[in-house]
Short mmCIF file of all heavy atoms in Angstrom, two decimals:
data_model
loop_
_atom_site.label_atom_id
_atom_site.label_comp_id
_atom_site.label_asym_id
_atom_site.label_seq_id
_atom_site.Cartn_x
_atom_site.Cartn_y
_atom_site.Cartn_z
N MET T 1 0.83 -1.18 0.00
CA MET T 1 0.00 0.00 0.00
C MET T 1 0.88 1.25 0.00
O MET T 1 1.82 1.34 0.76
CB MET T 1 -0.89 -0.02 1.24
CG MET T 1 -2.21 0.65 1.02
SD MET T 1 -3.28 0.51 2.45
CE MET T 1 -4.23 -0.91 1.97
N GLU T 2 0.57 2.18 -0.86
CA GLU T 2 1.34 3.40 -0.97
C GLU T 2 0.85 4.45 0.02
O GLU T 2 -0.35 4.58 0.24
CB GLU T 2 1.23 3.95 -2.40
CG GLU T 2 2.20 5.06 -2.69
CD GLU T 2 2.16 5.46 -4.16
OE1 GLU T 2 2.06 4.55 -5.00
OE2 GLU T 2 2.21 6.65 -4.42
N LYS T 3 1.80 5.19 0.59
CA LYS T 3 1.44 6.23 1.56
C LYS T 3 1.67 7.61 0.95
O LYS T 3 2.61 7.81 0.20
CB LYS T 3 2.27 6.09 2.83
CG LYS T 3 1.96 4.82 3.58
CD LYS T 3 2.73 4.73 4.85
CE LYS T 3 2.38 3.43 5.55
NZ LYS T 3 3.08 3.30 6.81
N GLN T 4 0.80 8.51 1.29
CA GLN T 4 0.91 9.90 0.85
C GLN T 4 1.42 10.72 2.04
O GLN T 4 0.88 10.64 3.13
CB GLN T 4 -0.46 10.42 0.40
CG GLN T 4 -0.46 11.87 -0.03
CD GLN T 4 -1.85 12.32 -0.43
OE1 GLN T 4 -2.78 11.53 -0.56
NE2 GLN T 4 -2.01 13.62 -0.61
N ILE T 5 2.48 11.47 1.82
CA ILE T 5 3.04 12.34 2.84
C ILE T 5 2.74 13.79 2.45
O ILE T 5 2.89 14.16 1.29
CB ILE T 5 4.57 12.16 2.97
CG1 ILE T 5 4.94 10.71 3.24
CG2 ILE T 5 5.15 13.09 4.02
CD1 ILE T 5 4.48 10.19 4.57
N GLU T 6 2.34 14.59 3.42
CA GLU T 6 2.05 16.00 3.16
C GLU T 6 2.68 16.85 4.25
O GLU T 6 2.65 16.48 5.42
CB GLU T 6 0.54 16.21 3.11
CG GLU T 6 0.16 17.57 2.56
CD GLU T 6 -1.32 17.66 2.24
OE1 GLU T 6 -1.82 16.81 1.47
OE2 GLU T 6 -1.96 18.57 2.75
N PHE T 7 3.25 17.97 3.85
CA PHE T 7 3.87 18.92 4.78
C PHE T 7 3.04 20.21 4.79
O PHE T 7 2.63 20.68 3.73
CB PHE T 7 5.30 19.26 4.34
CG PHE T 7 6.21 18.07 4.30
CD1 PHE T 7 6.32 17.30 3.15
CD2 PHE T 7 6.95 17.71 5.41
CE1 PHE T 7 7.16 16.20 3.10
CE2 PHE T 7 7.80 16.61 5.37
CZ PHE T 7 7.90 15.85 4.21
N VAL T 8 2.84 20.75 5.98
CA VAL T 8 2.14 22.04 6.11
C VAL T 8 3.07 22.96 6.89
O VAL T 8 3.42 22.69 8.04
CB VAL T 8 0.79 21.90 6.83
CG1 VAL T 8 0.13 23.26 6.99
CG2 VAL T 8 -0.13 20.93 6.09
N ARG T 9 3.49 24.06 6.27
CA ARG T 9 4.41 25.00 6.90
C ARG T 9 3.65 25.97 7.79
O ARG T 9 2.63 26.53 7.39
CB ARG T 9 5.19 25.75 5.83
CG ARG T 9 6.24 26.67 6.44
CD ARG T 9 7.37 26.94 5.51
NE ARG T 9 8.11 25.70 5.29
CZ ARG T 9 9.17 25.60 4.51
NH1 ARG T 9 9.62 26.65 3.87
NH2 ARG T 9 9.79 24.45 4.36
N VAL T 10 4.15 26.16 9.00
CA VAL T 10 3.56 27.12 9.94
C VAL T 10 4.65 28.04 10.48
O VAL T 10 5.81 27.63 10.61
CB VAL T 10 2.82 26.41 11.10
CG1 VAL T 10 1.60 25.69 10.59
CG2 VAL T 10 3.72 25.46 11.84
N LYS T 11 4.26 29.26 10.77
CA LYS T 11 5.18 30.27 11.30
C LYS T 11 4.70 30.72 12.67
O LYS T 11 3.50 30.85 12.91
CB LYS T 11 5.25 31.48 10.36
CG LYS T 11 5.82 31.16 9.00
CD LYS T 11 5.85 32.40 8.13
CE LYS T 11 6.37 32.03 6.75
NZ LYS T 11 6.48 33.20 5.87
N SER T 12 5.66 30.98 13.54
CA SER T 12 5.30 31.46 14.87
C SER T 12 4.99 32.96 14.80
O SER T 12 5.37 33.65 13.85
CB SER T 12 6.45 31.21 15.86
OG SER T 12 7.58 31.97 15.50
N SER T 13 4.29 33.43 15.82
CA SER T 13 4.00 34.86 15.90
C SER T 13 4.33 35.36 17.29
O SER T 13 4.27 34.61 18.27
CB SER T 13 2.53 35.13 15.56
OG SER T 13 1.68 34.42 16.43
N LEU T 14 4.68 36.62 17.38
CA LEU T 14 5.05 37.24 18.64
C LEU T 14 3.81 37.37 19.51
O LEU T 14 2.77 37.88 19.08
CB LEU T 14 5.66 38.62 18.38
CG LEU T 14 6.09 39.43 19.60
CD1 LEU T 14 7.18 38.70 20.37
CD2 LEU T 14 6.57 40.80 19.17
N LYS T 15 3.90 36.88 20.75
CA LYS T 15 2.76 36.90 21.66
C LYS T 15 3.15 37.44 23.02
O LYS T 15 2.89 36.84 24.04
CB LYS T 15 2.17 35.49 21.82
CG LYS T 15 1.57 34.95 20.57
CD LYS T 15 0.33 35.71 20.20
CE LYS T 15 -0.25 35.14 18.94
NZ LYS T 15 -1.38 35.86 18.44
N GLY T 16 3.78 38.59 23.09
CA GLY T 16 4.09 39.20 24.38
C GLY T 16 5.53 39.01 24.81
O GLY T 16 6.37 38.58 24.05
N PHE T 17 5.75 39.36 26.04
CA PHE T 17 7.09 39.32 26.60
C PHE T 17 7.15 38.36 27.77
O PHE T 17 6.20 38.25 28.53
CB PHE T 17 7.52 40.72 27.06
CG PHE T 17 7.60 41.69 25.92
CD1 PHE T 17 6.53 42.48 25.60
CD2 PHE T 17 8.75 41.77 25.16
CE1 PHE T 17 6.60 43.37 24.53
CE2 PHE T 17 8.83 42.64 24.09
CZ PHE T 17 7.75 43.44 23.77
N GLY T 18 8.25 37.68 27.91
CA GLY T 18 8.43 36.73 28.99
C GLY T 18 9.71 37.02 29.76
O GLY T 18 10.47 37.91 29.41
N VAL T 19 9.94 36.26 30.77
CA VAL T 19 11.14 36.41 31.59
C VAL T 19 12.25 35.59 30.95
O VAL T 19 12.01 34.56 30.35
CB VAL T 19 10.85 35.91 33.02
CG1 VAL T 19 12.10 36.04 33.90
CG2 VAL T 19 9.69 36.66 33.62
N GLY T 20 13.46 36.05 31.06
CA GLY T 20 14.59 35.28 30.51
C GLY T 20 14.96 35.75 29.13
O GLY T 20 15.73 36.68 28.96
N LYS T 21 14.40 35.12 28.11
CA LYS T 21 14.73 35.46 26.73
C LYS T 21 14.07 36.75 26.28
O LYS T 21 14.43 37.30 25.26
CB LYS T 21 14.32 34.33 25.80
CG LYS T 21 15.09 33.05 26.01
CD LYS T 21 14.70 32.06 24.95
CE LYS T 21 14.91 30.65 25.43
NZ LYS T 21 14.40 29.67 24.50
N GLY T 22 13.05 37.20 26.99
CA GLY T 22 12.46 38.50 26.66
C GLY T 22 11.13 38.44 25.94
O GLY T 22 10.18 39.06 26.35
N VAL T 23 11.03 37.65 24.89
CA VAL T 23 9.79 37.62 24.12
C VAL T 23 9.28 36.18 24.00
O VAL T 23 10.02 35.24 24.14
CB VAL T 23 9.96 38.22 22.70
CG1 VAL T 23 10.27 39.69 22.77
CG2 VAL T 23 11.04 37.50 21.93
N LYS T 24 7.98 36.05 23.73
CA LYS T 24 7.37 34.74 23.55
C LYS T 24 6.84 34.62 22.13
O LYS T 24 6.22 35.54 21.62
CB LYS T 24 6.21 34.55 24.52
CG LYS T 24 6.62 34.49 25.96
CD LYS T 24 5.40 34.27 26.83
CE LYS T 24 5.78 34.22 28.29
NZ LYS T 24 4.62 33.97 29.15
N TYR T 25 7.06 33.49 21.53
CA TYR T 25 6.53 33.19 20.20
C TYR T 25 5.65 31.96 20.31
O TYR T 25 5.95 31.04 21.07
CB TYR T 25 7.66 32.94 19.20
CG TYR T 25 8.47 34.17 18.92
CD1 TYR T 25 9.57 34.49 19.71
CD2 TYR T 25 8.12 35.02 17.89
CE1 TYR T 25 10.31 35.63 19.46
CE2 TYR T 25 8.86 36.17 17.64
CZ TYR T 25 9.94 36.47 18.44
OH TYR T 25 10.66 37.60 18.20
N ARG T 26 4.54 31.94 19.56
CA ARG T 26 3.62 30.82 19.61
C ARG T 26 3.20 30.39 18.22
O ARG T 26 3.19 31.19 17.29
CB ARG T 26 2.36 31.21 20.40
CG ARG T 26 2.63 31.42 21.84
CD ARG T 26 1.44 31.83 22.62
NE ARG T 26 0.18 31.24 22.16
CZ ARG T 26 -0.96 31.37 22.79
NH1 ARG T 26 -1.02 32.05 23.90
NH2 ARG T 26 -2.06 30.83 22.33
N PHE T 27 2.81 29.12 18.13
CA PHE T 27 2.22 28.56 16.92
C PHE T 27 0.74 28.36 17.22
O PHE T 27 0.34 27.32 17.73
CB PHE T 27 2.88 27.22 16.55
CG PHE T 27 4.30 27.35 16.10
CD1 PHE T 27 5.35 27.21 17.00
CD2 PHE T 27 4.60 27.61 14.78
CE1 PHE T 27 6.66 27.33 16.59
CE2 PHE T 27 5.91 27.73 14.34
CZ PHE T 27 6.95 27.59 15.25
N ASP T 28 -0.07 29.35 16.94
CA ASP T 28 -1.48 29.31 17.32
C ASP T 28 -2.32 28.41 16.44
O ASP T 28 -3.31 27.85 16.91
CB ASP T 28 -2.08 30.72 17.29
CG ASP T 28 -1.53 31.58 18.42
OD1 ASP T 28 -1.27 31.04 19.51
OD2 ASP T 28 -1.39 32.79 18.21
N GLU T 29 -1.97 28.23 15.18
CA GLU T 29 -2.85 27.51 14.25
C GLU T 29 -2.59 26.02 14.16
O GLU T 29 -3.30 25.29 13.47
CB GLU T 29 -2.75 28.14 12.85
CG GLU T 29 -1.42 27.91 12.15
CD GLU T 29 -0.31 28.89 12.51
OE1 GLU T 29 -0.45 29.70 13.44
OE2 GLU T 29 0.72 28.85 11.83
N THR T 30 -1.61 25.49 14.89
CA THR T 30 -1.25 24.08 14.73
C THR T 30 -2.38 23.12 15.08
O THR T 30 -2.61 22.14 14.37
CB THR T 30 0.00 23.72 15.56
OG1 THR T 30 -0.21 24.13 16.91
CG2 THR T 30 1.23 24.41 15.01
N ARG T 31 -3.09 23.37 16.16
CA ARG T 31 -4.16 22.46 16.57
C ARG T 31 -5.25 22.40 15.50
O ARG T 31 -5.76 21.32 15.15
CB ARG T 31 -4.76 22.91 17.90
CG ARG T 31 -5.86 21.98 18.36
CD ARG T 31 -6.32 22.31 19.74
NE ARG T 31 -5.26 21.86 20.65
CZ ARG T 31 -5.41 21.75 21.95
NH1 ARG T 31 -6.54 22.08 22.51
NH2 ARG T 31 -4.43 21.32 22.71
N LYS T 32 -5.63 23.56 14.96
CA LYS T 32 -6.66 23.60 13.91
C LYS T 32 -6.22 22.84 12.67
O LYS T 32 -7.01 22.13 12.05
CB LYS T 32 -6.99 25.05 13.55
CG LYS T 32 -7.70 25.80 14.64
CD LYS T 32 -7.92 27.25 14.23
CE LYS T 32 -8.46 28.05 15.40
NZ LYS T 32 -8.58 29.47 15.09
N ILE T 33 -4.95 23.00 12.30
CA ILE T 33 -4.42 22.31 11.12
C ILE T 33 -4.44 20.80 11.33
O ILE T 33 -4.86 20.04 10.45
CB ILE T 33 -2.99 22.80 10.79
CG1 ILE T 33 -3.02 24.25 10.34
CG2 ILE T 33 -2.34 21.91 9.74
CD1 ILE T 33 -1.66 24.91 10.26
N ILE T 34 -4.02 20.33 12.51
CA ILE T 34 -4.01 18.90 12.79
C ILE T 34 -5.42 18.32 12.77
O ILE T 34 -5.66 17.25 12.20
CB ILE T 34 -3.29 18.62 14.14
CG1 ILE T 34 -1.80 18.95 14.00
CG2 ILE T 34 -3.50 17.17 14.57
CD1 ILE T 34 -1.03 18.97 15.30
N GLU T 35 -6.38 19.05 13.35
CA GLU T 35 -7.78 18.60 13.33
C GLU T 35 -8.33 18.53 11.91
O GLU T 35 -9.01 17.58 11.53
CB GLU T 35 -8.64 19.51 14.19
CG GLU T 35 -8.37 19.37 15.68
CD GLU T 35 -9.08 20.41 16.53
OE1 GLU T 35 -9.68 21.35 15.98
OE2 GLU T 35 -9.03 20.27 17.77
N LEU T 36 -8.02 19.53 11.09
CA LEU T 36 -8.48 19.57 9.70
C LEU T 36 -7.89 18.41 8.89
O LEU T 36 -8.60 17.72 8.17
CB LEU T 36 -8.11 20.90 9.05
CG LEU T 36 -8.41 21.03 7.56
CD1 LEU T 36 -9.92 21.04 7.32
CD2 LEU T 36 -7.80 22.30 7.01
N LYS T 37 -6.60 18.19 9.04
CA LYS T 37 -5.95 17.10 8.29
C LYS T 37 -6.48 15.74 8.75
O LYS T 37 -6.61 14.82 7.94
CB LYS T 37 -4.43 17.16 8.44
CG LYS T 37 -3.78 18.44 7.90
CD LYS T 37 -4.15 18.75 6.49
CE LYS T 37 -3.47 17.86 5.51
NZ LYS T 37 -3.87 18.13 4.12
N ALA T 38 -6.80 15.58 10.03
CA ALA T 38 -7.37 14.32 10.53
C ALA T 38 -8.72 14.05 9.86
O ALA T 38 -9.02 12.91 9.50
CB ALA T 38 -7.52 14.37 12.04
N LYS T 39 -9.52 15.09 9.66
CA LYS T 39 -10.81 14.94 8.98
C LYS T 39 -10.62 14.51 7.53
O LYS T 39 -11.49 13.89 6.94
CB LYS T 39 -11.61 16.23 9.05
CG LYS T 39 -12.14 16.52 10.43
CD LYS T 39 -12.89 17.83 10.47
CE LYS T 39 -13.35 18.15 11.89
NZ LYS T 39 -13.99 19.45 11.98
N GLU T 40 -9.47 14.86 6.95
CA GLU T 40 -9.15 14.48 5.58
C GLU T 40 -8.53 13.08 5.51
O GLU T 40 -8.14 12.63 4.43
CB GLU T 40 -8.18 15.50 4.97
CG GLU T 40 -8.77 16.89 4.80
CD GLU T 40 -7.74 17.89 4.29
OE1 GLU T 40 -6.59 17.51 3.99
OE2 GLU T 40 -8.10 19.08 4.19
N GLY T 41 -8.39 12.41 6.65
CA GLY T 41 -7.86 11.06 6.68
C GLY T 41 -6.37 10.96 6.94
O GLY T 41 -5.79 9.88 6.87
N PHE T 42 -5.71 12.07 7.24
CA PHE T 42 -4.28 12.07 7.51
C PHE T 42 -4.01 11.84 9.00
O PHE T 42 -4.81 12.22 9.85
CB PHE T 42 -3.65 13.42 7.12
CG PHE T 42 -3.47 13.61 5.65
CD1 PHE T 42 -4.48 14.16 4.89
CD2 PHE T 42 -2.29 13.24 5.02
CE1 PHE T 42 -4.33 14.35 3.52
CE2 PHE T 42 -2.13 13.43 3.66
CZ PHE T 42 -3.14 13.98 2.91
N SER T 43 -2.87 11.25 9.30
CA SER T 43 -2.38 11.10 10.66
C SER T 43 -1.20 12.04 10.84
O SER T 43 -0.35 12.16 9.96
CB SER T 43 -1.91 9.67 10.93
OG SER T 43 -2.99 8.78 10.82
N TYR T 44 -1.14 12.70 11.99
CA TYR T 44 -0.02 13.58 12.31
C TYR T 44 1.19 12.71 12.66
O TYR T 44 1.10 11.79 13.46
CB TYR T 44 -0.38 14.49 13.49
CG TYR T 44 0.78 15.31 13.99
CD1 TYR T 44 1.28 16.36 13.24
CD2 TYR T 44 1.38 15.01 15.20
CE1 TYR T 44 2.36 17.11 13.69
CE2 TYR T 44 2.44 15.76 15.67
CZ TYR T 44 2.93 16.81 14.91
OH TYR T 44 3.99 17.55 15.36
N ARG T 45 2.34 12.98 12.04
CA ARG T 45 3.54 12.19 12.26
C ARG T 45 4.67 12.94 12.96
O ARG T 45 5.65 12.33 13.36
CB ARG T 45 4.06 11.63 10.94
CG ARG T 45 3.14 10.60 10.34
CD ARG T 45 3.05 9.43 11.28
NE ARG T 45 2.19 8.39 10.74
CZ ARG T 45 1.43 7.62 11.49
NH1 ARG T 45 1.41 7.77 12.79
NH2 ARG T 45 0.68 6.69 10.94
N GLY T 46 4.56 14.26 13.07
CA GLY T 46 5.62 15.01 13.74
C GLY T 46 5.87 16.33 13.03
O GLY T 46 5.08 16.79 12.23
N PHE T 47 6.99 16.95 13.37
CA PHE T 47 7.34 18.23 12.75
C PHE T 47 8.83 18.27 12.43
O PHE T 47 9.62 17.54 13.01
CB PHE T 47 6.95 19.41 13.66
CG PHE T 47 7.79 19.54 14.90
CD1 PHE T 47 8.90 20.37 14.91
CD2 PHE T 47 7.47 18.85 16.05
CE1 PHE T 47 9.67 20.50 16.05
CE2 PHE T 47 8.23 18.96 17.20
CZ PHE T 47 9.34 19.80 17.20
N VAL T 48 9.16 19.14 11.48
CA VAL T 48 10.54 19.36 11.08
C VAL T 48 10.83 20.85 11.23
O VAL T 48 10.18 21.68 10.61
CB VAL T 48 10.76 18.95 9.60
CG1 VAL T 48 12.19 19.21 9.18
CG2 VAL T 48 10.36 17.51 9.37
N PRO T 49 11.80 21.21 12.08
CA PRO T 49 12.18 22.62 12.19
C PRO T 49 12.75 23.10 10.86
O PRO T 49 13.57 22.42 10.24
CB PRO T 49 13.24 22.65 13.28
CG PRO T 49 13.14 21.33 13.98
CD PRO T 49 12.57 20.37 12.99
N VAL T 50 12.30 24.26 10.42
CA VAL T 50 12.79 24.83 9.16
C VAL T 50 13.69 26.03 9.44
O VAL T 50 14.72 26.21 8.79
CB VAL T 50 11.61 25.24 8.25
CG1 VAL T 50 12.09 25.95 7.00
CG2 VAL T 50 10.77 24.03 7.90
N GLU T 51 13.31 26.82 10.43
CA GLU T 51 14.09 28.02 10.77
C GLU T 51 14.07 28.20 12.28
O GLU T 51 13.03 28.05 12.92
CB GLU T 51 13.47 29.24 10.09
CG GLU T 51 14.26 30.52 10.26
CD GLU T 51 13.64 31.65 9.48
OE1 GLU T 51 13.71 31.62 8.24
OE2 GLU T 51 13.07 32.55 10.11
N GLN T 52 15.25 28.53 12.85
CA GLN T 52 15.36 28.76 14.28
C GLN T 52 16.09 30.07 14.53
O GLN T 52 16.94 30.48 13.75
CB GLN T 52 16.15 27.63 14.96
CG GLN T 52 15.42 26.32 15.00
CD GLN T 52 16.24 25.25 15.68
OE1 GLN T 52 17.01 24.56 15.03
NE2 GLN T 52 16.08 25.12 16.99
N ARG T 53 15.77 30.67 15.67
CA ARG T 53 16.50 31.86 16.11
C ARG T 53 17.81 31.42 16.74
O ARG T 53 17.99 30.25 17.06
CB ARG T 53 15.67 32.64 17.14
CG ARG T 53 14.41 33.18 16.56
CD ARG T 53 13.70 34.04 17.60
NE ARG T 53 12.55 34.67 17.00
CZ ARG T 53 12.59 35.73 16.20
NH1 ARG T 53 13.73 36.30 15.92
NH2 ARG T 53 11.50 36.24 15.68
N GLY T 54 18.69 32.36 16.98
CA GLY T 54 19.96 32.06 17.65
C GLY T 54 19.77 31.53 19.05
O GLY T 54 20.64 30.85 19.59
N THR T 55 18.63 31.80 19.66
CA THR T 55 18.31 31.31 21.01
C THR T 55 17.84 29.86 21.00
O THR T 55 17.63 29.26 22.04
CB THR T 55 17.20 32.17 21.64
OG1 THR T 55 16.06 32.13 20.79
CG2 THR T 55 17.66 33.60 21.85
N GLY T 56 17.62 29.30 19.80
CA GLY T 56 17.14 27.93 19.69
C GLY T 56 15.64 27.83 19.49
O GLY T 56 15.11 26.75 19.25
N ASP T 57 14.93 28.95 19.59
CA ASP T 57 13.48 28.94 19.39
C ASP T 57 13.14 28.68 17.93
O ASP T 57 13.70 29.31 17.04
CB ASP T 57 12.86 30.28 19.81
CG ASP T 57 13.06 30.58 21.28
OD1 ASP T 57 12.67 29.74 22.10
OD2 ASP T 57 13.61 31.66 21.60
N ILE T 58 12.23 27.75 17.69
CA ILE T 58 11.79 27.45 16.33
C ILE T 58 10.81 28.54 15.89
O ILE T 58 9.86 28.85 16.60
CB ILE T 58 11.11 26.07 16.26
CG1 ILE T 58 12.10 24.98 16.66
CG2 ILE T 58 10.54 25.81 14.86
CD1 ILE T 58 11.46 23.62 16.86
N THR T 59 11.05 29.13 14.73
CA THR T 59 10.16 30.18 14.22
C THR T 59 9.33 29.70 13.03
O THR T 59 8.26 30.21 12.79
CB THR T 59 10.95 31.44 13.82
OG1 THR T 59 11.95 31.07 12.88
CG2 THR T 59 11.59 32.10 15.03
N ILE T 60 9.85 28.72 12.29
CA ILE T 60 9.11 28.13 11.17
C ILE T 60 9.33 26.62 11.24
O ILE T 60 10.45 26.16 11.46
CB ILE T 60 9.60 28.66 9.81
CG1 ILE T 60 9.43 30.16 9.72
CG2 ILE T 60 8.85 27.97 8.66
CD1 ILE T 60 10.02 30.79 8.46
N MET T 61 8.22 25.87 11.07
CA MET T 61 8.33 24.42 11.05
C MET T 61 7.33 23.85 10.06
O MET T 61 6.34 24.48 9.72
CB MET T 61 8.11 23.82 12.44
CG MET T 61 6.74 23.98 12.99
SD MET T 61 6.67 23.22 14.63
CE MET T 61 5.09 23.81 15.19
N ASP T 62 7.62 22.64 9.60
CA ASP T 62 6.71 21.89 8.75
C ASP T 62 6.05 20.81 9.59
O ASP T 62 6.75 20.02 10.24
CB ASP T 62 7.45 21.22 7.59
CG ASP T 62 7.85 22.20 6.50
OD1 ASP T 62 7.31 23.32 6.46
OD2 ASP T 62 8.69 21.82 5.66
N LEU T 63 4.71 20.78 9.61
CA LEU T 63 3.99 19.68 10.23
C LEU T 63 3.93 18.55 9.21
O LEU T 63 3.69 18.79 8.03
CB LEU T 63 2.57 20.12 10.61
CG LEU T 63 2.46 21.29 11.58
CD1 LEU T 63 0.99 21.64 11.82
CD2 LEU T 63 3.16 20.99 12.89
N VAL T 64 4.14 17.32 9.64
CA VAL T 64 4.20 16.17 8.74
C VAL T 64 2.97 15.30 8.95
O VAL T 64 2.66 14.92 10.09
CB VAL T 64 5.47 15.34 8.98
CG1 VAL T 64 5.55 14.19 7.98
CG2 VAL T 64 6.72 16.21 8.93
N PHE T 65 2.28 15.00 7.85
CA PHE T 65 1.07 14.16 7.88
C PHE T 65 1.23 13.01 6.92
O PHE T 65 1.92 13.12 5.90
CB PHE T 65 -0.16 15.00 7.49
CG PHE T 65 -0.42 16.12 8.44
CD1 PHE T 65 0.11 17.38 8.22
CD2 PHE T 65 -1.21 15.92 9.55
CE1 PHE T 65 -0.12 18.42 9.11
CE2 PHE T 65 -1.46 16.96 10.44
CZ PHE T 65 -0.91 18.21 10.21
N GLU T 66 0.55 11.90 7.23
CA GLU T 66 0.63 10.70 6.41
C GLU T 66 -0.76 10.11 6.23
O GLU T 66 -1.58 10.14 7.15
CB GLU T 66 1.53 9.69 7.09
CG GLU T 66 1.71 8.39 6.37
CD GLU T 66 2.57 7.44 7.17
OE1 GLU T 66 2.07 6.88 8.16
OE2 GLU T 66 3.73 7.27 6.80
N LYS T 67 -1.00 9.58 5.04
CA LYS T 67 -2.28 8.95 4.73
C LYS T 67 -2.03 7.80 3.77
O LYS T 67 -1.24 7.92 2.84
CB LYS T 67 -3.22 9.99 4.11
CG LYS T 67 -4.56 9.46 3.66
CD LYS T 67 -5.49 10.62 3.34
CE LYS T 67 -5.83 10.70 1.90
NZ LYS T 67 -6.85 11.72 1.62
N GLU T 68 -2.71 6.69 3.99
CA GLU T 68 -2.59 5.56 3.08
C GLU T 68 -3.56 5.76 1.92
O GLU T 68 -4.71 6.14 2.12
CB GLU T 68 -2.89 4.24 3.79
CG GLU T 68 -1.81 3.91 4.79
CD GLU T 68 -1.91 2.50 5.32
OE1 GLU T 68 -2.55 1.66 4.66
OE2 GLU T 68 -1.34 2.25 6.38
N ASN T 69 -3.07 5.53 0.71
CA ASN T 69 -3.92 5.69 -0.49
C ASN T 69 -4.72 4.44 -0.74
O ASN T 69 -4.41 3.36 -0.45
CB ASN T 69 -3.06 6.00 -1.72
CG ASN T 69 -2.52 7.42 -1.64
OD1 ASN T 69 -3.08 8.28 -0.99
ND2 ASN T 69 -1.41 7.64 -2.28
#
């Protein structure tokens, strides 16, 4: 059986200031994307960091989904 892999790119957004590093970044849309892809028959398999800040914070990532054809 062949599997279909799909990547969805998401970007973090600035959401206020925190202690330590100074600012907070969040991925607000990830839950909605995972729920939508599940309705399409895909399973969430993980994420791949695409871009990180010098502090190690991920700013862009690809969500990985899989579905059997």
Side-chain angles (χ1 to χ4, degrees):
M1 211 176 264
E2 191 173 320
K3 294 183 180 181
Q4 178 182 350
I5 304 294
E6 192 168 305
F7 299 89
V8 178
R9 184 155 293 180
V10 292
K11 296 180 183 183
S12 65
S13 58
L14 179 62
K15 294 292 180 184
F17 297 93
V19 179
K21 295 185 206 174
V23 294
K24 293 181 181 181
Y25 293 88
R26 292 179 34 173
F27 292 93
D28 290 326
E29 70 276 10
T30 53
R31 181 173 286 194
K32 291 177 188 175
I33 293 169
I34 292 169
E35 290 172 352
L36 175 67
K37 298 306 286 178
K39 288 178 184 176
E40 295 176 3
F42 285 89
S43 296
Y44 173 71
R45 292 297 181 214
F47 70 94
V48 179
V50 175
E51 185 176 289
Q52 290 180 271
R53 296 185 174 282
T55 58
D57 298 305
I58 298 169
T59 55
I60 300 174
M61 66 180 170
D62 285 344
L63 301 178
V64 183
F65 298 92
E66 180 183 75
K67 176 168 113 173
E68 291 191 21
N69 288 335

